[in-house]
């Protein structure tokens, strides 16, 4: 069996790692295509190095652009790459422009196409990722759902025949990394001299939070006024938008830091007092590490993090109250699988090959 994985943005490199390792251990031929959507070394290369992912076999180098330009560039480049490698399966990940473009190219070339992390829904059509998810799910032949809630969404859209619940590959990579960094200090603590449990870690990058000047200003003001230091891991979109709006990010207790490599992110999350974010992945990582999370969004796809009490959705004005809430009640729920999802994914592809 020959699998082609197509990835392009930071969260996809994390999800790729356990799949690449499972393919390697099981002798499955695996072609990795990097679209080039993310090109900064701290958003891309560092993940390949730290998570021991083989260098991409193909790099499309598409870079930044409007959604149409970015999606279109990947789509037009993918046809030739797929025809040259002739994989048995094309595997697409998550909800980015790279996901949608690769799915569309593959399925139209009549190559079996599987969507990893299928069935997630925010029901917010203003999010580019929501459009990418829905269209990718309807295009793909096999829908690999991370949770039963995701499978229910697919059933409601008439897609249950193509759906299988496999768990979440992010649990695989998180558990492996947690074991490796358990006894290593957090680079954030080392760098700033913080004690464990006495700092917040934050990420803000979504267009809905960065594109409007007043909203971004209000989020940063709330972060700066928190009673503990807040380290904001600054995504290029945040830095670019703050400069465009003429806003200074650092203020009060808020300091910026470059994005972290994955093991450093896990080590720094494990020792944080809380996480404040609008990222999808970090909400789940905080939950799996049982660190309270505050999410600056009106909705989340990862509803289990909220129903178990470990994640709270807020508007900027409620951010401070939520972030300083008392520690949630411990739970033993495992909605995101057992850490062996990548092997189940390969089993599913092989059984249908
Ligand atoms: C993308 C994904 C989002 C994912 C996020 C993780 C889509 C629609 N969105 O959002 O689902 O959560 O990645 O990071 O695919 N930029 C750089 N260097 C880079 C990459 C981007 O400077 O290496 C800049 C670009 O110039 C652009 C901005 O960051 O202005 C946004 O990049 P883009 O790839 O469009 O989307 P993200 O916001 O990163």
């Amino acid at each position: 069996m020959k699998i082609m994985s197509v990835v392009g943005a930071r969260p996809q490199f994390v999800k790729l790692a356990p799949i690449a390792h499972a393919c390697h251990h099981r002798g499955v031929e695996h072609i990795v295509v990097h679209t080039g959507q993310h090109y900064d070394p701290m958003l891309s290369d560092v993940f390949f190095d730290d998570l021991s992912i083989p260098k991409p076999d193909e790099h499309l180098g598409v870079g930044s652009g409007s959604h149409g330009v970015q999606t279109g560039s990947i789509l037009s480049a993918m046809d030739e790459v797929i025809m040259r490698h002739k994989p048995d399966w094309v595997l697409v990940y998550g909800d980015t422009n790279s996901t949608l473009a690769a799915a569309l190219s593959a399925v139209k070339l009549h190559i079996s196409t599987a969507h990893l992390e299928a069935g997630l829904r925010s029901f917010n059509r203003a999010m580019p990722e929501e459009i990418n998810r829905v269209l990718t799910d309807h295009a793909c032949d096999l829908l690999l759902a991370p949770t039963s809630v995701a499978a229910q969404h697919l059933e409601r859209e008439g897609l249950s025949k193509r759906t299988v619940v496999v768990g979440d590959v992010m649990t695989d990579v998180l558990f492996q990394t947690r074991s490796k960094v358990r006894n290593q200090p957090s680079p954030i603590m080392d760098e700033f001299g913080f004690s464990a449990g006495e700092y917040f870690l934050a990420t803000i990058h979504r267009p809905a939070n960065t594109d409007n000047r007043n909203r971004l200003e209000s989020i940063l003001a709330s972060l700066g006024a928190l009673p503990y230091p807040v380290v904001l891991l600054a995504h290029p979109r945040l830095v670019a938008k703050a400069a465009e709006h003429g806003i200074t990010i650092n203020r009060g207790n808020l300091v910026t830091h470059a994005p972290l490599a994955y093991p450093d992110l896990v080590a720094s999350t494990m020792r944080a007092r809380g996480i404040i974010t609008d990222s999808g992945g970090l909400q789940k990582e905080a939950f799996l590490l049982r660190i309270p999370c505050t999410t600056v969004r009106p909705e989340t796809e990862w509803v289990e993090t909220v129903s178990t009490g470990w994640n709270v959705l807020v508007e900027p004005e409620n951010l401070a109250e939520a972030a300083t809430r008392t520690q949630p009640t411990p739970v033993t729920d495992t909605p995101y699988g057992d850490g062996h999802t990548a092997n189940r994914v390969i089993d599913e592809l092989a059984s249908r090959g």
Side-chain angles (χ1 to χ4, degrees):
M1 178 168 66
K2 190 199 263 195
I3 300 174
M4 175 181 280
S5 284
V6 186
V7 291
R10 176 170 59 177
Q12 295 170 325
F13 309 138
V14 177
K15 294 166 201 166
L16 170 66
I19 297 289
H21 299 155
C23 285
H24 176 73
H25 288 126
R26 297 174 59 159
V28 171
E29 193 178 350
H30 187 214
I31 308 290
V32 175
V33 180
H34 189 323
T35 64
Q37 177 172 348
H38 281 180
Y39 44 87
D40 283 354
M42 282 308 289
L43 294 191
S44 174
D45 303 2
V46 73
F47 289 84
F48 283 79
D49 296 342
D50 286 336
L51 297 174
S52 310
I53 307 169
K55 292 258 171 295
D57 300 278
E58 301 282 346
H59 201 295
L60 309 184
V62 298
S64 302
S66 68
H67 285 276
V69 167
Q70 201 171 51
T71 310
S73 310
I74 300 167
L75 181 56
S76 62
M78 277 307 298
D79 282 1
E80 186 275 326
V81 172
I82 292 175
M83 286 192 294
R84 184 154 39 83
H85 287 279
K86 296 189 175 53
D88 299 299
W89 281 98
V90 168
L91 187 56
V92 299
Y93 299 64
D95 57 18
T96 71
N97 293 336
S98 299
T99 315
L100 174 61
L104 207 48
S105 167
V107 82
K108 285 190 159 188
L109 290 168
H110 307 295
I111 303 291
S112 298
T113 310
H115 183 203
L116 189 69
E117 211 178 70
L120 290 191
R121 296 290 182 268
S122 66
F123 302 103
N124 176 357
R125 284 173 53 81
M127 276 179 83
E129 293 84 359
E130 182 73 357
I131 308 299
N132 290 342
R133 290 177 192 127
V134 172
L135 294 177
T136 301
D137 282 338
H138 283 259
C140 283
D141 303 294
L142 176 62
L143 305 177
L144 301 161
T147 62
S148 53
V149 170
Q152 284 159 23
H153 294 150
L154 294 168
E155 187 179 358
R156 249 177 256 134
E157 292 174 29
L159 300 173
S160 57
K161 285 213 177 77
R162 291 187 244 159
T163 301
V164 52
V165 178
V166 287
D168 193 327
V169 285
M170 280 193 68
T171 306
D172 299 20
V173 63
L174 181 76
F175 284 180
Q176 284 158 21
T177 308
R178 180 179 60 182
S179 311
K180 286 190 196 136
V181 302
R182 198 181 287 283
N183 299 317
Q184 283 170 27
S186 138
I188 291 295
M189 286 167 59
D190 280 358
E191 229 174 281
F192 292 96
F194 298 153
S195 305
E198 302 216 327
Y199 64 94
F200 288 101
L201 204 60
T203 76
I204 295 292
H205 80 280
R206 291 206 174 272
N209 283 333
T210 52
D211 290 3
N212 179 292
R213 187 185 192 282
N214 291 345
R215 187 170 173 94
L216 181 58
E217 173 59 37
S218 146
I219 293 170
L220 297 175
S222 300
L223 291 175
L226 285 175
Y228 287 93
V230 180
V231 180
L232 179 57
L233 304 173
H235 186 285
R237 167 185 281 283
L238 170 73
V239 176
K241 286 288 167 185
E244 197 181 305
H245 298 319
I247 296 179
T248 304
I249 301 178
N250 290 2
R251 77 255 325 262
N253 263 339
L254 175 61
V255 286
T256 47
H257 190 280
L260 291 174
Y262 189 72
D264 292 344
L265 177 80
V266 174
S268 302
T269 301
M270 283 166 77
R271 286 150 189 118
R273 179 177 188 85
I275 297 295
I276 301 156
T277 192
D278 60 5
S279 142
L282 198 48
Q283 292 172 53
K284 229 174 357 170
E285 282 150 357
F287 171 77
L288 292 167
L289 295 168
R290 297 299 191 268
I291 300 295
C293 186
T294 302
T295 298
V296 192
R297 281 183 53 192
E299 74 282 301
T300 180
E301 302 76 25
W302 304 107
V303 291
E304 302 82 2
T305 60
V306 174
S307 60
T308 52
W310 284 79
N311 189 13
V312 174
L313 304 176
V314 296
E315 286 299 308
E317 52 275 21
N318 320 115
L319 194 162
E321 192 191 334
T324 52
R325 69 192 185 272
T326 51
Q327 184 82 359
T329 317
V331 288
T332 52
D333 307 43
T334 54
Y336 304 119
D338 56 4
H340 300 287
T341 291
N343 268 318
R344 273 195 292 278
V345 168
I346 307 298
D347 290 343
E348 285 297 334
L349 301 185
S351 72
R352 290 154 206 259

